[in-house]
Amino acid sequence: VIQRIFYTVNRSWSGKITCNELRKSNFLQNVALLEEEADINQLTEYFSYEHFYVIYCKFWELDTDHDLYIDRKDLARHNDHAISTRMIERIFSGAVTRGRKAQKDGKISYADFVWFLISEEDKKTPTSIEYWFRCMDLDGDGALSMYELEYFYEEQCQKLDNMAIEPLPFEDCLCQMLDLVKPQCEGKITLHDLKRCKLTNVFFDTFFNIEKYLDHEQKDQFSMLRDGEGESQEVSDWEKYAAEEYDILVAEEAASDQWNDGYEAELNPVDHQKANVLKYQMEKRPFFEMPSHLADVDLDEYDYEEDFE
């Protein structure tokens, strides 16, 4: 409950919460609302368990050594290498990450991954727009120049060439993006310009997410504009993503449990008892504790068949 209320607060980038921010977040009213709701997962404006489950599973999948930190190579594997290498480098440059120790070691923590994943899957919120704007603003002058846009677009063109797809020339792409954003000052795009734009997800994906860029290219611009205008009446992109991924993860877990149940049913009573001991000690083990000797199982007691079908 505390975690969900925490994410309703308009936090600063330092991660601290002021008294004024707590007052703005209607802290006490939120507590009362959560107590009245039988299923708090139905309150989508909070950071629900389903959201946490999806994020942690995604992080655990990338964190191959399970040290609760991921490096550049780990993050690059996200979504089948959809994010460009140049953007991955910018994320690890310290533009949007916190913690000097993690930056020194060239890794990001779970907390930084939370910011990354939500910003990646929903590029229309003010926080995500600021996140990606900081990454693309190479010189930190508060505006995206044509050079910076071309810098990120070059890698997109290389990926398209590798896929045997003819990329759109940068000049034509630039004209499309300027028509999309409609910046107030000629020759540069500011954070304010992007926050006014209804299709910031299309803008950002064009420069560093090849999979989503191709998805946008298959849609006509009028349908995307309609989706952008009606977004306030529907669930957010993040909520859609979290719901879809949660269903997939639950289905995979159910299939795995069904397979394990079928396997255990084939064991004889002695073997089944040993399997229950193993299962009990695994469930008893604390969540973050490293695996150890789970059960005293003597493999010599098992009779193996010579031929396997």
Side-chain angles (χ1 to χ4, degrees), residues 10-176:
N10 182 22
R11 301 194 307 166
S12 62
W13 280 92
S14 64
K16 299 178 181 178
I17 302 176
T18 65
C19 294
N20 289 333
E21 287 173 336
L22 281 176
R23 294 191 187 100
K24 291 179 181 178
S25 67
N26 298 322
F27 183 83
L28 296 178
Q29 291 89 333
N30 288 333
V31 172
L33 182 61
L34 288 174
E35 291 177 347
E36 294 174 0
E37 179 60 45
D39 183 6
I40 52 181
N41 282 317
Q42 299 302 318
L43 300 176
T44 56
E45 65 268 29
Y46 299 94
F47 196 73
S48 69
Y49 165 76
E50 293 181 1
H51 294 181
F52 165 79
Y53 185 76
V54 169
I55 295 175
Y56 194 83
C57 287
K58 294 295 180 182
F59 181 84
W60 193 254
E61 180 182 352
L62 297 177
D63 183 21
T64 53
D65 57 1
H66 302 319
D67 63 346
L68 298 182
Y69 287 94
I70 57 177
D71 57 20
R72 290 171 173 81
K73 293 182 179 179
D74 294 332
L75 190 61
R77 291 188 291 105
H78 174 71
N79 199 18
D80 196 21
H81 295 83
I83 307 294
S84 69
T85 303
R86 292 183 177 182
M87 179 52 68
I88 297 293
E89 290 296 326
R90 282 295 295 165
I91 293 174
F92 282 86
S93 69
V96 289
T97 55
R98 294 170 294 175
R100 295 180 179 179
K101 183 179 184 301
Q103 293 177 16
K104 181 180 179 181
D105 297 338
K107 297 182 178 181
I108 62 174
S109 64
Y110 173 75
D112 290 317
F113 181 78
V114 173
W115 288 109
F116 161 78
L117 186 61
I118 298 179
S119 299
E120 162 59 15
E121 296 303 332
D122 191 350
K123 298 183 175 74
K124 298 177 184 177
T125 66
T127 301
S128 62
I129 293 173
E130 293 178 14
Y131 184 96
W132 296 118
F133 182 86
R134 292 186 179 204
C135 289
M136 295 187 68
D137 186 14
L138 300 177
D139 54 10
D141 65 347
L144 302 182
S145 64
M146 303 305 103
Y147 165 78
E148 289 166 331
L149 298 182
E150 187 175 14
Y151 172 79
F152 288 101
Y153 190 68
E154 283 179 354
E155 187 172 350
Q156 295 290 79
C157 292
Q158 295 174 2
K159 287 190 174 184
L160 291 172
D161 284 334
N162 296 336
M163 300 168 66
I165 301 176
E166 183 178 358
L168 189 69
F170 174 71
E171 291 76 13
D172 296 336
C173 174
L174 180 61
C175 291
Q176 289 184 359

Side-chain angles (χ1 to χ4, degrees), residues 75-290:
L75 190 61
R77 291 188 291 105
H78 174 71
N79 199 18
D80 196 21
H81 295 83
I83 307 294
S84 69
T85 303
R86 292 183 177 182
M87 179 52 68
I88 297 293
E89 290 296 326
R90 282 295 295 165
I91 293 174
F92 282 86
S93 69
V96 289
T97 55
R98 294 170 294 175
R100 295 180 179 179
K101 183 179 184 301
Q103 293 177 16
K104 181 180 179 181
D105 297 338
K107 297 182 178 181
I108 62 174
S109 64
Y110 173 75
D112 290 317
F113 181 78
V114 173
W115 288 109
F116 161 78
L117 186 61
I118 298 179
S119 299
E120 162 59 15
E121 296 303 332
D122 191 350
K123 298 183 175 74
K124 298 177 184 177
T125 66
T127 301
S128 62
I129 293 173
E130 293 178 14
Y131 184 96
W132 296 118
F133 182 86
R134 292 186 179 204
C135 289
M136 295 187 68
D137 186 14
L138 300 177
D139 54 10
D141 65 347
L144 302 182
S145 64
M146 303 305 103
Y147 165 78
E148 289 166 331
L149 298 182
E150 187 175 14
Y151 172 79
F152 288 101
Y153 190 68
E154 283 179 354
E155 187 172 350
Q156 295 290 79
C157 292
Q158 295 174 2
K159 287 190 174 184
L160 291 172
D161 284 334
N162 296 336
M163 300 168 66
I165 301 176
E166 183 178 358
L168 189 69
F170 174 71
E171 291 76 13
D172 296 336
C173 174
L174 180 61
C175 291
Q176 289 184 359
M177 293 301 103
L178 293 178
D179 291 339
L180 185 72
V181 177
K182 296 179 175 59
Q184 294 180 340
C185 299
E186 184 178 357
K188 62 181 181 180
I189 297 176
T190 64
L191 181 60
H192 179 68
D193 294 329
L194 291 174
K195 287 187 175 182
R196 288 189 301 105
C197 179
K198 299 293 184 180
L199 296 174
T200 48
N201 58 325
V202 177
F203 174 83
F204 287 127
D205 289 335
T206 299
F207 293 102
F208 57 82
N209 190 311
I210 195 66
E211 296 294 335
K212 293 184 178 181
Y213 167 73
L214 293 175
D215 289 340
H216 297 319
E217 285 294 299
Q218 295 176 0
K219 299 178 182 178
D220 62 276
Q221 193 169 6
F222 292 104
S223 66
M224 289 190 295
L225 287 172
R226 286 197 303 269
D227 294 341
E229 292 174 355
E231 190 68 27
S232 59
Q233 301 176 358
E234 301 177 359
V235 296
S236 67
D237 290 342
W238 163 248
E239 290 165 357
K240 292 178 183 177
Y241 169 82
E244 293 173 359
E245 290 297 321
Y246 182 78
D247 290 341
I248 293 174
L249 291 169
V250 170
E252 291 176 349
E253 184 177 355
S256 177
D257 291 342
Q258 185 177 4
W259 186 89
N260 291 333
D261 292 342
Y263 174 76
E264 289 182 1
E266 298 178 358
L267 298 175
N268 60 48
V270 177
D271 294 340
H272 189 72
Q273 182 178 3
K274 292 181 179 180
N276 286 336
V277 172
L278 179 65
K279 182 178 180 181
Y280 169 76
Q281 294 200 18
M282 289 182 67
E283 292 177 348
K284 187 177 180 182
R285 179 167 52 88
F287 187 71
F288 286 104
E289 183 178 329
M290 296 299 293

